[in-house]
Amino acid sequence: MGDVKVKYYITTPIFYPNSSPHIGTAYTTVAADALARYHRMLGDDVYFLTGTDENAQKIVRTAEAHHTDPKVYVDGVVEHFKELWKALDISFDDFIRTTEERHQKVVQQIFTKLYEKGDIYKSEYSGWYCTPCETFWMENKLIEGKCPNSDCGREVELLKEESYFFRLSKYQDILLKFIAENPEFIQPVSRRNEMIRFIEGGLEDLCVSRTTFQWGIKVPFDPKHVVYVWLDALINYISALGYPDGENYQRYWPADVHIMGKDIVRFHAVIWPIILMALDIPLPKAIYGHGWYLTKDGGKISKSRGNVEDSFALIQRYGSDAIRYFLLREMQVGTDGTYSEDNVVERLNSDLANDFGNFVSRSLAMVVKYREGIVPSSGQDGSLEQDLKALSHEVKKAVEESLDRCDPASALEQIWRFVARCNKYVDETAPWALAKQEGQRERLDTVLYTFVECIRIMAILTAPFMPGLPPRICVLLGKDEKLMRWEDADQWGIVEQGTRVHKGEALFPRIDVSQYTIAEETKPVNQEQSQTQVQSQEQTLVHNETLEPIQALEFEPIKEEISIDEFAKLDLRVAKVLSAERVEKTDKLMKLEVEVAGVARTVVSGIAKHYAPEDLVNQYVVLVANLKPTKLRGITSQGMILAASQGEVLEVLTVNKGLPGGARVK
Ligand code: MSP
């Protein structure tokens, strides 16, 4: 490969800032972001555009209802969009607002050009207008006098005004020919077929100016007219690049893909290509129409209907990566997705905590336990390792093909085939048994090395979807940025022998469904499902962790009974480990600084043979908080940390669901 980078230009629709975004609206932007990140990892020269569509009539209506000026109103909502995109780690290169001068001047230039060419002409419009859809309708298209759009069905208004018209009819046959010759232009195929039927039904010239209100971009040679909002909005895809002379326009146009929801494919598959054809500009390579997120009962998600919680609260509760994963995993090509908060929790608990997170923590814990956290060198591959390697090639290829089709859900499905195989590999290789067998040192080294490589590959493959993950995994695997190159997602032998790895905190702590309030609307059906889900996950976890055979163990006898009152004297608390260090001149004792309800304490604990100090930092342990202080090796220990032990094995009890230091343990 030479130095010339392949360019990749991707856009989202520009959003109406008449109300704040919600989690359903976020889908398009998260999907575009995953694609942009993937192409950056491929080494492409990516340009990712999003923005807001501010010149709509509905903005004026909403601002009036809030007794404020439209510009003041949209300025506030636009900030919300920007904050949401930041919280969701959206890596756009430019954010265009259609109230900006750089956009307005291009729209005016294009309107004039089309007028001079004769593709826009003046006449009189008499027909109906749906303001929520910002769409003109002929009388014969209305259904029972209302908007015929199946998602709308609202009241329409009669308009009779002098208007400019755009000659769509002239381009009908050229457009159909273009679509036939370019099967990739409208995707997926179901939307393409819909659009072909729609265009074959006949295109009428489109009314492209209004005179009954003043908010919007003025027609430069006839300023009592403002430009129809869809003509104005579509032009953002080139005005943001500095059309016609801008460097970015020369470099990035035509777009590689415009991503959007199914409801607006019509505007992008008809009006937009015709504007471009009329201007002699190349058409975008693809427009992709995805489904919608709906509520469980198939209804619209809407903040005003109160069926969705504030997006920021959701992101704060579950993390941006988990929300992105849910949105991208759940929406299948060509269909709608179902959104509910307990679906999010189910995905988080099963796919992220149980499958992904559990593999990472189990396997790193074993490297720490059996090789003091130092990555060993790998011996000869066995058939299990060969299997994993073959699967990694297959999965990488399938992920690339899915993303080429703008299908993040199937890409994630493929990645989880690899994640599942990694978990199975742990069970098949049973490192705990190898550790006990004579002559198995090299085999155990190979298995542990393979674990670390699997984690690296899982992190690369998921990076475009969950960008918060690679930096966290890099910390666990020795902080080397080079570990995250896409081309290495099916290469092996990348992590260097001798690298120190850390156990760290759980990547995705499991959510206890009883700890959060499910939105009223979805409560009855889902509580039951979620409980079953959690139970089955617990079974899997227990199953995984108890594979080690229990043979004739000698247990300590159970102690004499105590009363509940005697037990109640114990004050057990969650404590966060702030720092840990070995106590000098002993191989058993570790000195820990812990935080309990905002107060720091020192605790000395006999766990140094089983843990490296860094494995404990930031863990939430269980502390006997009302034990009389005692001196150990000259250090006053203010409490005792609970640990389970049998024979040589010891495990400090930890709490992983986000409970703070100070929480009671009963
Ligand atoms: N302003 C126009 C787009 C102009 S592009 C030149 C518009 N804006 S919108 O704010 O109404 O919608 C923006 C995007 O969000 C659209 O792609 C729409 O399909 C999408 N979604 C709105 N609600 C959605 C869900 N519930 N689920 C998934 N996508 C959703 O249309």
Side-chain angles (χ1 to χ4, degrees), residues 12-18 22-28 53 58 81 230 233-237 259-264 268 290-294 300-301 331:
T12 71
I14 48 174
F15 293 81
Y16 291 126
N18 60 320
H22 58 64
I23 208 73
T25 345
Y27 174 76
T28 317
D53 185 357
K58 62 174 133 192
F81 272 94
W230 267 102
L234 289 159
I235 291 171
N236 91 89
Y237 299 131
I259 308 258
M260 71 206 67
K262 58 183 182 178
D263 54 319
I264 58 171
H268 287 78
H290 59 73
W292 268 40
Y293 266 110
L294 303 174
K300 263 193 171 181
I301 295 178
M331 176 82 81

Side-chain angles (χ1 to χ4, degrees), residues 337-398:
T338 305
Y339 170 82
S340 76
E341 193 175 342
D342 44 352
N343 279 355
V344 174
V345 173
E346 274 178 31
R347 280 275 175 211
L348 205 164
N349 278 344
S350 68
D351 300 8
L352 297 181
N354 215 26
D355 298 344
F356 196 112
N358 200 30
F359 173 76
V360 174
S361 46
R362 288 170 84 196
S363 53
L364 287 179
M366 286 190 255
V367 181
V368 168
K369 181 169 174 186
Y370 301 124
R371 296 291 180 265
E372 283 85 40
I374 305 297
V375 177
S377 69
S378 176
Q380 195 71 34
D381 277 351
S383 64
L384 293 175
E385 289 76 29
Q386 282 164 3
D387 262 15
L388 266 175
K389 290 184 179 179
L391 183 66
S392 72
H393 300 309
E394 214 181 285
V395 164
K396 176 172 177 268
K397 192 156 169 274

